[in-house]
Amino acid sequence: MDEHTGDLRTVTRPEPEPEEPIVGRDAELARLLRAVDPASADPVLLLLGDAGTGKSALLRRAVRRAEAGGARVLRAEGSESESSLAFSALHQLLRPVLAEADGLPDGQRAALQDAFGPATPRHPSAPGLMPIGVAVLSLLSAVGDRRSLLVVLDDAQWFDRASLDVLSFAVRRLDGEPVTTLVAARGGDQIPGFDRHVPTLVLGPLDDAAADRLLDLQPKSPTGHIRTRILDQAGGNPLALVELTRAATAHDTATGLPSAGPLPLTDHLERIFAARLDDLPAATRRALLLLAAMDSVDSAIVASAGLPNAEDDAWLPAERAVLVRRTGRDVRFRHPLVRAAVYHAASLGAQREAHLALAEMLRDEPDRRAWHLAAACPRPDAAVSAALERTADRARRRGGHAAAAKALQRAAELTPQREDSARLLVEAASAAVFTGDLAWVEELTAAARVRTDDRALLASAAVQAGRLAVLTGRHTTVFSRLTDTAEELAVAQPAAALDLLADAAVVRFYSGEDTQRHRIRDILERLPEDAARAGLRAWVRAVSDPFDDRAGLVRLLPRAAADAEARPEHLTTVGIMAWLLDETPQAVRAFDEAFDRWKLEGALPEGLGGAVAWAYVERGRWDQAREACARTTAVGRAAGLDHAVACAATVDATVLAYQGDAAAARARAEDALTLVDPLESRSVFVYAHRALGAAAAAEGAYETAYDHLRTAFTADGAPVHYHASYPALADLAAAAVRCGRREEVGPIVERSARSLAQNASPRLRALISRAHGLLADPEDAEPHFRAALADPVLEHWPFERAQSLLDLAEWLRRRRRIAEARAPLTEALETFRRLGARPWIERARAESRAAGLAVTNSTPDALAELSPQQQQIIRLAARGLTNREIGEKLFLSPRTVSSHLYRSFPKLGITARSQLRDLVEGTLTTSGHQD
């Protein structure tokens, strides 16, 4: 019998016949077989179920169907002990196709080699999630190009975190490709990257009829009272039904069954398997214990560890006892419970001897060797601790942050010195930050505090926890913790206190809670002035209250930018600060330089990382804004950081709305709102409703637009968020005018103007002037519209300027000053076309016709008929980028890029890639002259 499902077999025949039924799982099997059908619409399916419910057997059946249909199958199976080895599962999956990685671009090939390769990578920094993920995406896509591909990830709850991060990144981007991924995991386990918006099939208990049918198929089918007891205690679990029947039969034959109480050994089902060990030969028991201690399903690793090969007679008794399955070169336990039973049935001494034997066999595998030495340690051991520390260093430099943290945590347990233990725990927390697991980081820092009184070390621990905490959605709790700790450290560790205050300022931005501003200011005033840290003090002020002495903060930007020349990692800080102060051109320059020099490929989104995307939106570089959103979304999802994902979604939604894809914009904004608590994350709340307002305005639904935009301000007109609300003023006024609610908005605009006063940026002054013009009586509007366009610096916000131009032109035409309206109309239309703002293009064209301008359906307008993603691809292709290069930028496979190009060419009226440059350049520069 197969322990996973109870499908009929003899014990000497390890593999089921192809057509043998799987009892009670007809619907589930049909769903899996549909998934592996080439016509399936699901690129990924998650299969969840408790131990013994039949996941692996169902996967085997799906694999046979896919192979029969000509598909290639790549599979990896998780193992508990190897979850500490970075990229072990990914390596297992891709080993059969690694030779094909030679066809990848140099950077992608190098990223894979660094992930799987030597202990010391060729590059000074870790390859990071992005390049490895793109490399895996390209490799799987290339394999799928030759024949359809099935990727099978079994026991994914035991995959190492680095592999899960990369695989989830790649799998989500294979939609539309001939690649299907099946992921099986224990029910109740969180599988990072595969636990949201992934189609899921859950294996529950068998119903009564199926359970009865399964018992009928047993070699010695139980009857009467025993059958009733088995059915009752198994609870519909196929494995329990089979094994309880086998145990009851053996017990009844030997000594008779107890008349009451539970059937033998059911409290710990693995003991049923362990009971089969007693009659096995010593060589078989030793091989089983080594395999259990090794806990690897990778045949190449098992062979290198010196275990008997699959053909060795030592395995035959274990196979007959239904403990292992031999398939080709592989020897595998039939169920994880078998492995647990074999391992725990051995004495502690025997377990240690097995691990020591494996450590000796694996001298050429230093990371695995270190973990086996650690498993054999009954007491602290400095040498083993040092070996684990070296393992952590190798894992960290290859991007395996979870593996590094686990190794450092175990090294801390094994080092004899308490101070060394505390240091290792802080290093472990530093690595764990990049997993997004705040509970783990806090556990590690708490353990460090127990082991040391070293203030510097404890301060470092607090900073590590704070770095991750700001990226979560627990803003109120996190802010209190950060500021309380900063206050405690203000005298003894002022530098650490300032670091914590910088994190608290980011939380203040996300939450928008005004009382937090006063708390930050109070602590900042207590910290001593330090010229070396002046830039960070300015950052704290700008993030927590950008409109308090804005002019003074702007004067500090050149010095901050100069300092960043020597430290490129600080360029993002400069850019974010500039964006907060509405110095968007300088922000974009800093971000551009950061991308060129530093690549912004860290394993986590930076605090306020959404500023990058917002700056590109404001500057009119919408494609790059969406690229930044894709990057943050990918990393945020992999790390389980919903708040970072929500921030990116609001920016993406805004661009989609501007481009006229209102349905997609609403979906993205609503996704963002489901990921946060609006009272905890006022920034996301306001940004999401601004995007929803823009989507409604794009469709002409101005009442709906007004309702969304109005939520950016409280009932009495105060901004809900001190930075995110103000840019909505002009759009709110425009919606109010068009739905007859002009009188309700005037007081809000006036209150904002008074609150900002001299601290308003040129951009905000222009938006307030535009709002005044929209709300004014017609005879009084012109000076306000002119003021909204007066400052040449406003050209750096092209979409907002084009909206003001259109408003002015509409006002002029309605005053019958048609000749004067034509110039602003022409400029507005040209800008909207360049940006691809389809709804505003149509408004400007309609207004142009009303003003007597000859507006035709010129070729550049064809670009606006494409989806936003297709527009991105077309523009990058027009710049000469290959499909691979475009895929790297947009995190798509080359095949997906090619498909989008193929579908776009007929819409554009072109037949060759060489025509794209002229088309796009026409969109950018000549559209205004064709009217």
Side-chain angles (χ1 to χ4, degrees):
M1 305 297 298
D2 185 291
E3 285 79 8
H4 286 232
T5 62
D7 51 325
L8 186 62
R9 67 177 79 245
T10 63
V11 294
T12 57
R13 184 158 47 85
E15 286 298 316
E17 293 296 331
E19 299 304 319
E20 198 161 3
I22 294 178
V23 176
R25 301 295 189 201
D26 293 348
E28 293 88 343
L29 180 58
R31 177 69 182 85
L32 273 181
L33 296 183
R34 285 199 305 274
V36 300
D37 188 302
S40 169
D42 290 335
V44 59
L45 179 65
L46 180 60
L47 180 64
L48 298 178
D50 294 335
T53 51
K55 301 183 296 295
S56 295
L58 287 168
L59 288 180
R60 287 196 295 274
R61 186 64 61 84
V63 165
R64 287 200 296 275
R65 172 64 65 87
E67 288 176 334
R72 182 168 191 171
V73 178
L74 297 177
R75 64 182 302 157
E77 188 172 333
S79 60
E80 193 170 6
S81 68
E82 293 200 356
S83 64
S84 300
L85 297 172
F87 298 112
S88 57
L90 185 66
H91 193 223
Q92 183 192 153
L93 179 78
L94 297 182
R95 179 185 285 115
V97 294
L98 277 181
E100 299 181 47
D102 291 342
L104 296 177
D106 292 345
Q108 294 181 26
R109 186 173 64 253
L112 273 184
Q113 289 171 344
D114 283 344
F116 299 149
T120 303
R122 287 176 296 281
H123 306 296
S125 60
L129 170 69
M130 294 300 174
I132 299 173
V134 171
V136 172
L137 171 64
S138 297
L139 181 58
L140 293 177
S141 178
V143 173
D145 265 346
R146 286 182 280 282
R147 56 196 271 210
S148 60
L149 174 65
L150 175 62
V151 175
V152 178
L153 312 176
D154 197 7
D155 280 329
Q157 75 276 0
W158 287 331
F159 276 30
D160 63 279
R161 180 59 185 270
S163 294
L164 279 174
D165 288 349
V166 168
L167 286 168
S168 64
F169 174 93
V171 163
R172 281 195 302 271
R173 288 160 177 80
L174 288 166
D175 194 5
E177 305 251 3
V179 181
T180 298
T181 302
L182 301 179
V183 185
R186 292 275 182 89
D189 284 301
Q190 291 287 319
I191 310 300
F194 292 101
D195 54 359
R196 187 182 297 279
H197 304 312
V198 173
T200 301
L201 180 61
V202 178
L203 297 184
L206 296 180
D207 61 28
D208 292 344
D212 265 322
R213 192 160 67 253
L214 180 55
L215 290 186
D216 288 340
L217 292 172
Q218 303 309 301
K220 294 183 179 180
S221 179
T223 60
H225 183 52
I226 297 302
R227 185 185 186 95
T228 301
R229 292 168 69 186
I230 289 173
L231 288 168
D232 181 59
Q233 291 181 220
N237 183 287
L239 174 64
L241 286 162
V242 171
E243 292 304 325
L244 286 175
T245 297
R246 186 174 286 135
T249 301
H251 201 287
D252 188 31
T253 301
T255 62
L257 286 166
S259 59
L263 292 171
L265 306 178
T266 56
D267 288 342
H268 301 284
L269 193 57
E270 69 247 25
R271 291 169 60 192
I272 294 173
F273 299 110
R276 302 181 199 167
L277 298 172
D278 295 341
D279 297 328
L280 297 179
T284 300
R285 290 201 303 273
R286 181 178 185 276
L288 285 171
L289 180 55
L290 286 172
L291 184 62
M294 184 76 191
D295 190 27
S296 175
V297 297
D298 192 323
S299 58
I301 300 301
V302 170
S304 71
L307 273 71
N309 61 43
E311 292 76 28
D312 196 291
D313 288 343
W315 298 114
L316 184 59
E319 187 177 39
R320 287 174 174 163
V322 201
L323 296 172
V324 299
R325 176 186 294 107
R326 293 188 288 177
T327 57
R329 295 180 302 168
D330 290 344
V331 180
R332 304 188 183 203
F333 286 113
R334 283 187 167 270
H335 193 276
L337 289 175
V338 181
R339 184 255 171 187
V342 169
Y343 187 80
H344 293 295
S347 66
L348 291 176
Q351 291 172 6
R352 288 206 310 272
E353 287 176 10
H355 284 295
L356 288 171
L358 288 167
E360 184 63 28
M361 296 173 187
L362 291 168
R363 285 189 170 276
D364 293 334
E365 296 274 352
D367 296 333
R368 288 185 168 87
R369 183 172 188 271
W371 277 106
H372 283 297
L373 289 173
C377 267
R379 60 186 64 85
D381 187 308
V384 176
S385 177
L388 283 171
E389 194 172 355
R390 291 191 293 272
T391 285
D393 184 55
R394 286 188 289 269
R396 186 162 40 197
R397 286 187 290 161
R398 291 159 61 191
H401 300 288
K406 287 180 181 179
L408 289 164
Q409 186 175 18
R410 182 66 175 130
E413 294 169 356
L414 290 176
T415 187
Q417 302 298 321
R418 286 177 63 84
E419 286 299 315
D420 285 340
S421 179
R423 173 185 60 80
L424 290 167
L425 285 166
V426 172
E427 290 184 21
S430 178
V433 161
F434 294 100
T435 69
D437 189 340
L438 181 59
W440 189 17
V441 172
E442 291 175 340
E443 172 194 331
L444 292 166
T445 55
R449 283 194 291 272
V450 171
R451 287 166 169 79
T452 186
D453 296 323
D454 185 324
R455 290 182 174 179
L457 198 57
L458 291 176
S460 177
V463 169
Q464 293 304 329
R467 182 182 181 191
L468 176 58
V470 300
L471 297 172
T472 71
R474 297 160 45 189
H475 299 316
T476 301
T477 301
V478 167
F479 183 85
S480 296
R481 184 180 303 159
L482 290 169
T483 50
D484 288 349
T485 308
E487 194 168 41
E488 291 170 9
L489 297 173
V491 175
Q493 297 288 331
L498 187 57
D499 285 334
L500 291 168
L501 211 56
D503 289 334
V506 175
V507 177
R508 143 77 170 154
F509 181 91
Y510 286 143
S511 74
E513 172 57 52
D514 201 49
T515 58
Q516 295 176 354
R517 172 172 61 94
H518 302 295
R519 176 84 166 128
I520 289 172
R521 180 181 293 174
D522 290 345
I523 299 173
L524 190 62
E525 289 174 353
R526 299 181 206 174
L527 296 179
E529 296 281 354
D530 179 354
R533 308 277 284 177
L536 192 56
R537 288 182 72 96
W539 155 271
V540 172
R541 290 171 54 203
V543 173
S544 59
D545 194 357
F547 301 119
D548 178 30
D549 187 25
R550 176 185 174 276
L553 289 169
V554 169
R555 286 194 294 271
L556 297 175
L557 280 174
R559 171 64 183 274
D563 291 344
E565 285 296 316
R567 302 183 66 181
E569 68 273 16
H570 288 181
L571 283 166
T572 51
T573 301
V574 175
I576 291 167
M577 185 174 166
W579 171 75
L580 286 162
L581 297 170
D582 272 340
E583 295 294 312
T584 302
Q586 184 167 347
V588 167
R589 286 195 299 272
F591 294 142
D592 284 346
E593 189 174 354
F595 275 101
D596 290 340
R597 295 176 57 186
W598 191 41
K599 300 303 181 187
L600 288 178
E601 289 174 349
L604 282 183
E606 292 294 321
L608 287 182
V612 178
W614 276 119
Y616 284 134
V617 171
E618 293 167 10
R619 194 67 185 86
R621 290 160 59 172
W622 293 353
D623 290 344
Q624 285 171 285
R626 297 202 70 204
E627 289 174 33
C629 290
R631 180 179 299 103
T632 299
T633 299
V635 178
R637 280 179 175 165
L641 296 172
D642 285 350
H643 193 268
V645 174
C647 291
T650 62
V651 189
D652 212 24
T654 301
V655 176
L656 288 165
Y658 290 167
Q659 293 175 325
D661 195 343
R666 279 192 292 272
R668 293 291 279 143
E670 286 161 5
D671 279 347
L673 291 172
T674 64
L675 292 172
V676 301
D677 177 346
L679 296 179
E680 286 275 291
S681 299
R682 292 174 181 83
S683 58
V684 171
F685 174 81
V686 170
Y687 286 134
H689 281 283
R690 279 174 49 186
L692 290 167
E699 294 180 318
Y702 294 110
E703 186 79 40
T704 301
Y706 175 85
D707 289 341
H708 284 298
L709 294 167
R710 181 63 182 82
T711 64
F713 299 88
T714 64
D716 62 357
V720 168
H721 188 275
Y722 63 95
H723 189 272
S725 291
Y726 289 127
L729 282 167
D731 289 338
L732 175 61
V737 168
R738 285 173 171 82
C739 69
R741 304 176 76 166
R742 181 193 309 260
E743 301 301 322
E744 298 175 30
V745 177
I748 298 175
V749 175
E750 292 305 322
R751 175 170 179 162
S752 295
R754 288 195 306 271
S755 296
L756 290 168
Q758 297 304 309
N759 281 312
S761 64
R763 177 207 181 191
L764 288 182
R765 285 198 295 272
L767 290 174
I768 291 170
S769 293
R770 180 187 169 215
H772 279 145
L774 290 164
L775 297 170
D777 292 333
E779 60 272 15
D780 300 325
E782 184 173 10
H784 299 296
F785 287 135
R786 298 292 184 187
L789 296 163
D791 193 332
V793 76
L794 299 175
E795 293 181 359
H796 295 302
W797 291 268
F799 183 64
E800 293 172 2
R801 175 178 167 80
Q803 287 178 302
S804 295
L805 286 165
L806 183 56
D807 290 336
L808 172 63
E810 288 177 337
W811 181 87
L812 288 168
R813 187 184 64 78
R814 283 165 176 75
R815 305 296 287 178
R816 301 188 182 280
R817 294 160 62 178
I818 294 174
E820 293 178 67
R822 288 172 179 167
L825 267 177
T826 301
E827 184 180 346
L829 180 57
E830 181 178 350
T831 300
F832 290 139
R833 279 177 162 164
R834 175 171 59 82
L835 295 173
R838 283 181 283 184
W840 283 265
I841 291 172
E842 291 309 312
R843 254 187 69 195
R845 289 178 63 190
E847 191 65 26
S848 296
R849 291 191 188 96
L853 291 171
V855 181
T856 60
N857 290 323
S858 55
T859 300
D861 270 347
L863 202 62
E865 298 304 314
L866 305 179
S867 72
Q869 187 170 72
Q870 287 172 335
Q871 290 185 42
Q872 283 183 286
I873 291 170
I874 289 294
R875 289 192 175 100
L876 291 172
R879 284 160 47 187
L881 275 68
T882 66
N883 289 359
R884 277 181 171 173
E885 291 167 338
I886 295 169
E888 286 185 327
K889 278 187 167 291
L890 302 183
F891 311 116
L892 300 171
S893 72
R895 180 190 178 96
T896 299
V897 173
S898 176
S899 177
H900 278 299
L901 287 171
Y902 178 80
R903 293 197 298 270
S904 299
F905 278 19
K907 297 178 184 178
L908 297 173
I910 62 174
T911 58
R913 200 179 186 113
S914 58
Q915 296 172 271
L916 286 174
R917 180 175 178 181
D918 289 341
L919 177 80
V920 172
E921 285 184 351
T923 301
L924 293 176
T925 62
T926 66
S927 59
H929 300 293
Q930 296 183 17
D931 295 332

